[in-house]
Amino acid sequence: MAAILVKSALCIICGGAIGLDREINRQAAGFRTHIVVCVGACIAMLTGQYITLYISESSDTARLGAQVISGIGFLGAGTIISTDVSHRVRGLTTAAGLWAAACIGLAVGIGYYEAAIVGSAAVSATMVAFKRIDKMFFRHSRVLMVYFEMDSVEHVHDLVDLLRADNLSISSIEVQKPKSGMKRSVGVSLTVRKSNREDSADILELINSAPGLIFIETAV
């Protein structure tokens, strides 16, 4: 019983460390979800050990653990969505975090504490520390994809003229059904190709200053 309590506590710490960043960023699977996945995977591995020790010595200890690795996919798939902006996929990091939490839970369950602790630290560091690198790539990316809503088609034309007047190259523009559901509003997916000297934040500020803007979000 003491070993089970220690392993469960370690899963709470490891799973919580991974889920904390997702919770802060208000993702669908956050702090509690990662803990539950990690503890559940640990229980599956402990159950496999129990079957081998007390029921059937010919049983495969890792069999239940293998099912966890494949079965966690349904939960990860639920966190992945395709946005309306150029059909860009979001939620992959959260899904990967859930899968990693399950693997860490299996490691704890089998007693491989070193791998569990180092693995949870590495995953947590990747999610938190490497976020700055993501932002750097965003700032220096040659392509900026945005979705915005205007209160009329005329204002969309005005914004396009404004961007072109600033020597920005528009790769594609697509009028869509507005997400907000507001009457007479116009949804637009826009892809702007930048030069080396242009900053994403400056372009977003230019779009945000356009008259008639209702809503804007980036796809990167």
Side-chain angles (χ1 to χ4, degrees):
M1 179 61 71
I4 296 175
L5 291 174
V6 170
K7 290 180 178 181
S8 296
L10 184 57
C11 283
I12 291 174
I13 295 172
C14 293
I18 296 173
L20 185 60
D21 174 75
R22 300 292 88 194
E23 185 73 29
I24 292 173
N25 287 278
R26 307 304 302 167
Q27 296 296 317
F31 185 69
R32 293 181 300 171
T33 305
H34 282 77
I35 290 176
V36 171
V37 167
C38 194
V39 173
C42 179
I43 293 172
M45 184 58 77
L46 288 172
T47 303
Q49 288 179 300
Y50 182 87
I51 293 173
T52 302
L53 292 174
Y54 299 105
I55 299 178
S56 175
E57 293 183 358
S58 62
S59 176
D60 184 2
T61 304
R63 184 173 182 179
L64 285 176
Q67 298 304 314
V68 170
I69 296 298
S70 59
I72 197 65
F74 85 93
L75 188 60
T79 68
I80 301 173
I81 60 173
S82 178
T83 66
D84 292 334
V85 188
S86 301
H87 306 290
R88 192 166 182 85
V89 176
R90 300 181 62 184
L92 289 173
T93 301
T94 302
L98 288 171
W99 184 81
C103 293
I104 290 168
L106 294 175
V108 173
I110 203 66
Y112 195 7
Y113 303 128
E114 297 89 343
I117 295 173
V118 173
S120 61
V123 173
S124 300
T126 299
M127 288 185 171
V128 177
F130 290 179
K131 193 175 297 182
R132 294 182 179 179
I133 298 178
D134 279 344
K135 291 181 179 179
M136 181 186 70
F137 280 123
F138 170 72
R139 289 179 62 89
H140 297 287
S141 173
R142 295 296 301 274
V143 175
L144 175 67
M145 292 178 287
V146 296
Y147 169 83
F148 59 88
E149 294 182 14
M150 309 289 284
D151 58 13
S152 68
V153 176
E154 288 75 16
H155 280 138
V156 175
H157 293 309
D158 293 339
L159 176 57
V160 171
D161 292 339
L162 181 65
L163 293 172
R164 287 174 174 167
D166 202 53
N167 296 321
L168 292 172
S169 174
I170 299 176
S171 299
S172 66
I173 182 170
E174 178 184 354
V175 178
Q176 301 178 347
K177 183 179 179 180
K179 296 181 182 179
S180 63
M182 295 179 60
K183 293 183 178 179
R184 297 182 180 179
S185 64
V186 181
V188 179
S189 289
L190 183 70
T191 303
V192 178
R193 186 167 295 279
K194 307 180 296 180
S195 66
N196 292 329
R197 60 182 177 81
E198 291 162 340
D199 192 284
S200 298
D202 294 335
I203 298 174
L204 291 174
E205 184 177 351
L206 180 63
I207 297 175
N208 201 43
S209 66
L213 183 70
I214 301 174
F215 171 80
I216 183 173
E217 69 175 3
T218 61
V220 291

